[in-house]
Amino acid sequence: MEFDYDLFVIGAGSGGVRLSRMAASYGARVAVAEDSLVGGTCVIRGCVPKKLLVYASHFPHEVEDAAGYGWSYRPGTFSWAALIAAKNREIARLNGVYLSLLEKSGVQRYDGRATVADAHTVEVAGHRISARHIAVATGARPMLPAIPGIQHAITSDEALDLASQPKRIAVVGAGYIAVEFAGIFNGLGTQVDLWCRGRQILRGFDEDVRDALASAMTQQGIEIRTETSVLGLEKYRDGTIGLVPEGGTQGHYDAVLYATGRAPNSARLGLEEVGVTLDRNGAVDVDEYSTTNIPSIHAIGDVTARPQLTPVATRDGALLAASLFGDVRRSVDHEYVPSAVFSTPEVATVGLTEDKARERYGVVDVFKTSFKALRHTLSGRDERTLMKLVVARGSQRVVGAHMVGRDAAEILQGIAIAMKAGATKAQFDETIGIHPTAAEEFVTMR
Ligand code: FAD
């Protein structure tokens, strides 16, 4: 049977763009549909704009630290409008880069929302298009709980584009997006309360990391309210918003940011109708080659239950293109995926937490250090850096590395290479450090 395309990709985000371009580079005839802006969550309303705001939030710290080094500055002023305008210019530039990448690689673009009509047909903007393969790369979206007054809340999407800087904000949630935005707003001078249901922020991260970040955030003036369920939101006459936990409304916030989880964009896509299996959270079920139970339908990125990270989506997109149109068929590999939280201070992690390593390997050796970085001997800032290695006792392989502190993400990327290559603790120890750095502690922990 003759198809219009060899591959039709739904969604031009991190995963979809990489998959489309790679497939086209193997000679496949490829089309991609996007119903918003090409670039997807990461470029338009995720990693990139978020990190730009994180940079903005660090300048007041830098200026404070400079005093210990002999510099004196008069108090500066900050323009939220100028920051958001600059951020938007950069996002528009990147959107243009992505559009031209697709064009140059010969991928046909369809603007509009696509749905799956059958195992080889999609519908978009009034067209019915056939394809040998269909890939779902529709990502995920913020999830809001169904509680009274939730219409007064914003999500990370709106937080990146607020018309003005809130004086007081409540961040509800305890995952990486919640703590990142808490750090951004706090650094920019907004008073921040973080409300979370659990006992501690960053569930799933190493316990020492969770405690270290929570205490650093508290020290910076963020109020963390743990074990508090928000049952509703209430808008006052003056336009501020209160949160309703058990026992009465609290707080007068200019904005309430909900970051309590993201849901896969799998609904109303026609997937269930053609028989594609979804898990109970709505994520598309795929095998290790990113193929669903329908052999011609595939899925990558945040719409699956895989780690919700851009480099995972792009890698899995590249592997799927190679499997379908290249000469290698390689399964995805999600062991030792490094990740970072761009909180203040930063968190980065590779491999297993101490608890998970114990579950998997039984006996583990743990090496930990907590110190005041050289930079802060003169700045006077009372900030500690935490580093931790978890080693499987039997193999002596380093199976977990964790850091809380400046440049944690930049440092852990290199550590991830060593761990992926199977480095043992002895090999870490044999490595000569770079002095004087914080990073050298990773090779001197005894
Ligand atoms: P997306 O990038 O979301 O792309 C999906 C695309 O599909 C979207 O453009 C959407 O408009 C489109 N679409 C959906 N349905 C349809 C349809 N029916 N028809 C046509 N088009 C459709 N990851 C990191 O690695 N590092 C970070 O620092 C980081 N920070 C983040 C911060 C925030 C605030 C958020 C929300 C996410 C962050 N992420 C980060 C996660 C990262 O953005 C995602 O993992 C990544 O974008 C997933 O790529 P994807 O291709 O699966 O989906």
Side-chain angles (χ1 to χ4, degrees):
M1 183 182 164
E2 197 40 44
F3 295 103
D4 296 329
Y5 293 99
D6 297 312
L7 172 68
F8 196 100
V9 181
I10 305 179
S14 307
V17 169
R18 178 64 60 89
L19 167 62
S20 306
R21 292 176 55 213
M22 292 292 292
S25 77
Y26 291 118
R29 295 168 306 139
V30 184
V32 62
E34 172 55 56
D35 70 346
S36 174
L37 292 175
V38 166
T41 304
C42 179
V43 174
I44 310 292
R45 61 194 90 87
C47 334
V48 176
K50 178 264 316 264
K51 186 107 187 250
L52 294 174
L53 266 56
V54 169
Y55 284 130
S57 73
H58 284 176
F59 290 104
H61 277 165
E62 303 290 320
V63 170
E64 278 167 28
D65 287 357
Y69 288 85
W71 290 94
S72 62
Y73 293 99
R74 273 190 288 278
T77 57
F78 168 67
S79 164
W80 172 265
L83 170 64
I84 297 303
K87 182 267 293 177
N88 287 343
R89 280 194 297 277
E90 175 56 12
I91 300 313
R93 188 188 71 80
L94 284 173
N95 171 241
V97 169
Y98 274 75
L99 284 167
S100 104
L101 284 174
L102 282 180
E103 200 168 308
K104 283 190 193 132
S105 50
V107 173
Q108 177 66 45
R109 217 181 75 235
Y110 288 86
D111 294 328
R113 184 168 195 279
T115 53
V116 177
D118 65 44
H120 292 286
T121 310
V122 295
E123 288 177 350
V124 55
H127 303 278
R128 258 178 93 81
I129 299 156
S130 66
R132 185 179 305 279
H133 294 281
I134 297 170
V136 182
T138 50
R141 64 182 186 290
M143 217 165 36
L144 286 169
I147 55 170
I150 195 66
Q151 70 275 14
H152 304 309
I154 57 168
T155 69
S156 59
D157 289 355
E158 293 81 35
L160 292 163
D161 274 316
L162 286 174
S164 58
Q165 182 186 358
K167 284 198 181 64
R168 293 152 302 186
I169 193 169
V171 178
V172 183
Y176 82 93
I177 295 177
V179 300
E180 287 178 343
F181 276 94
I184 289 170
F185 282 108
N186 182 61
L188 296 175
T190 295
Q191 183 201 314
V192 180
D193 292 346
L194 187 107
W195 295 62
C196 73
R197 218 166 37 182
R199 166 187 69 71
Q200 184 56 289
I201 56 170
L202 288 186
R203 187 159 62 89
F205 282 74
D206 190 88
E207 292 298 328
D208 286 317
V209 166
R210 301 173 75 185
D211 292 344
L213 181 64
S215 84
M217 287 173 67
T218 306
Q219 209 179 339
Q220 290 161 26
I222 296 173
E223 184 164 336
I224 303 180
R225 302 181 178 202
T226 52
E227 299 183 309
T228 326
S229 287
V230 179
L231 308 175
L233 278 69
E234 214 174 281
K235 194 154 193 167
Y236 300 108
R237 269 208 210 119
D238 65 359
T240 61
I241 305 160
L243 296 189
V244 192
E246 273 159 21
T249 311
Q250 290 186 24
H252 285 265
Y253 299 107
D254 304 302
V256 176
L257 165 56
Y258 257 79
T260 47
R262 293 176 63 79
N265 286 325
S266 60
R268 296 179 298 107
L269 270 182
L271 291 175
E272 284 144 300
E273 290 77 356
V274 302
V276 171
T277 311
L278 309 181
D279 74 10
R280 63 190 169 88
N281 298 319
V284 179
D285 265 336
V286 283
D287 65 14
E288 69 272 34
Y289 298 100
S290 303
T291 298
T292 70
N293 57 312
I294 307 283
S296 60
I297 303 184
H298 315 273
I300 51 165
D302 285 7
V303 75
T304 68
R306 291 169 174 176
Q308 300 208 337
L309 295 166
T310 282
V312 172
T314 52
R315 170 63 61 85
D316 293 354
L319 293 178
L320 177 59
S323 294
L324 296 179
F325 307 109
D327 47 13
V328 283
R329 191 164 145 78
R330 256 179 64 198
S331 57
V332 302
D333 172 8
H334 297 144
E335 268 235 298
Y336 297 109
V337 172
S339 70
V341 182
F342 295 99
S343 46
T344 307
E346 216 162 87
V347 168
T349 174
V350 198
L352 303 174
T353 64
E354 182 179 339
D355 290 347
K356 286 275 176 236
R358 272 188 219 292
E359 270 173 37
R360 183 168 323 168
Y361 296 104
V363 195
V364 297
D365 295 321
V366 174
F367 301 85
K368 254 195 294 201
T369 173
S370 166
F371 57 94
K372 186 168 174 167
L374 179 60
R375 174 190 169 93
H376 294 311
T377 53
L378 294 200
S379 79
R381 184 177 296 281
D382 186 16
E383 185 181 290
R384 301 194 72 75
T385 299
L386 170 81
M387 289 177 180
K388 178 167 175 177
L389 289 177
V390 184
V391 177
R393 174 79 57 88
S395 63
Q396 278 302 297
R397 187 173 169 178
V398 178
V399 295
H402 309 273
M403 175 171 173
V404 182
R406 199 181 174 90
D407 296 328
E410 304 287 353
I411 291 169
L412 268 272
Q413 181 68 78
I415 301 284
I417 299 173
M419 289 173 57
K420 191 83 192 156
T424 61
K425 179 65 168 63
Q427 288 169 322
F428 270 61
D429 296 347
E430 279 162 27
T431 305
I432 305 264
I434 300 176
H435 186 73
T437 61
E440 67 181 318
E441 295 288 327
F442 270 119
V443 295
T444 55
M445 277 192 256
R446 299 288 188 269

